[in-house]
Amino acid sequence: QPRLVNTHEIDPDALEAAAELGAHSRHPQSQAIAAFGGAGGKPIKFTSITEYPGQGVEGHTAGAVWRLGRGGWAGEGEGTLIGRDGVSLATFSFEDKPRADAREAVSILKREVGPVVMLSGDNEASCRTVARELDIDVYASGLMPADKVARIEEATSQGRKVLMVGDGLNDAPALGAAYVSMAPATAADVGRNAADFVFLHESLKAVPVAVEVARRAGRLIRQNVAIAIVYNIFAVPIAILGYVTPLIAAVAMSTSSILVIANALRLGKAGR
């Protein structure tokens, strides 16, 4: 959850306009700006507000077009800007603190799954800082939604099965393009709909836990198939030879089902 740190450098009217635009987006930086609505600036009434994935939020007044978002789109400059008619009015600076167990989750994934890559639309400096804090070796900054999809498709073409974890509107296409995908419950609606799994708590350790549960489930499925095959190898010939009464058949079938169910229940012993 990024925190806006340079409000003292921003004109109150520009901050108020940005807060109004930011309130119409689920992007973390937009939400951080929206928190400063009503802080003393002159309210601006927008006739329409539209969010553009990968760019920002655009609002129209009677005589101007306001944009909050990526530099070059909202106005001249880099970073997150508020601009009016293409002229930058202010640049926002954020302090971004990773989730408490993010570094541990990344470490587990690197050890148990494979390379961890960070794909972000944020600027180079922010991405470099977060990658260093989380010990992520490979990252890409300034990406549009289509760029993230291209990176995933490139990895897929190399024979990798990509697990994508994302929470934003900009991540939805990449979540759909990945082999399997996860999103937190706080993600944008379109992101949750695009993901295969949604985890409810704040902890990113839900990701390695899901991987471990999936692997355990796969092993148990293969074991149950083996149990069924071995059972039938012995049971079917005996039945064909006429040595099985209806009572014995009923008991044998029930026993095989109980064995398979009991083996499957071992999944519940996995650590939570």
Side-chain angles (χ1 to χ4, degrees), residues 226-256:
I227 290 173
I229 290 173
V230 171
Y231 164 81
N232 283 283
I233 287 175
F234 288 96
V236 172
I238 295 174
I240 292 174
L241 294 173
Y243 294 118
V244 179
T245 66
L247 177 60
I248 294 176
V251 172
M253 288 300 296
S254 298
T255 301
S256 68

Side-chain angles (χ1 to χ4, degrees), residues 117 119 143-164 172-180:
V117 180
L119 306 178
L143 299 182
M144 299 290 287
D147 298 327
K148 296 181 181 181
V149 172
R151 293 295 183 108
I152 290 176
E153 290 177 343
E154 180 183 358
T156 301
S157 68
Q158 296 171 356
R160 294 191 178 277
K161 295 179 179 178
V162 179
L163 164 62
M164 170 71 184
L175 290 168
Y179 186 81
V180 65

Side-chain angles (χ1 to χ4, degrees), residues 17-177:
E20 176 64 24
L21 293 173
H24 289 78
S25 171
R26 292 288 298 273
H27 192 283
Q29 291 186 356
S30 295
Q31 291 296 301
I33 295 171
F36 288 88
K42 180 180 178 182
I44 296 179
K45 186 174 179 60
F46 293 100
T47 57
S48 65
I49 296 178
T50 306
E51 183 173 12
Y52 296 91
Q55 301 287 12
V57 185
E58 180 180 276
H60 293 257
T61 62
V65 176
W66 295 71
R67 286 179 171 177
L68 170 68
R70 182 189 296 268
W73 179 80
E76 68 275 8
E78 297 182 354
T80 301
L81 313 173
I82 176 72
R84 182 176 58 200
D85 294 331
V87 178
S88 177
L89 302 179
T91 300
F92 300 96
S93 297
F94 300 91
E95 183 179 73
D96 205 355
K97 185 178 181 180
R99 299 183 190 218
D101 55 7
R103 184 183 177 92
E104 183 181 359
V106 169
S107 176
I108 295 172
L109 289 170
K110 289 171 66 175
R111 183 176 66 251
E112 302 292 339
V113 180
V116 175
V117 180
M118 183 173 73
L119 306 178
S120 176
D122 288 341
N123 60 68
E124 164 69 20
S126 297
C127 291
R128 183 171 60 251
T129 299
V130 173
R132 186 185 304 116
E133 290 181 8
L134 302 186
D135 194 24
I136 295 176
D137 301 318
V138 180
Y139 68 89
S141 61
L143 299 182
M144 299 290 287
D147 298 327
K148 296 181 181 181
V149 172
R151 293 295 183 108
I152 290 176
E153 290 177 343
E154 180 183 358
T156 301
S157 68
Q158 296 171 356
R160 294 191 178 277
K161 295 179 179 178
V162 179
L163 164 62
M164 170 71 184
V165 183
D167 68 347
L169 180 65
N170 301 339
D171 294 323
L175 290 168

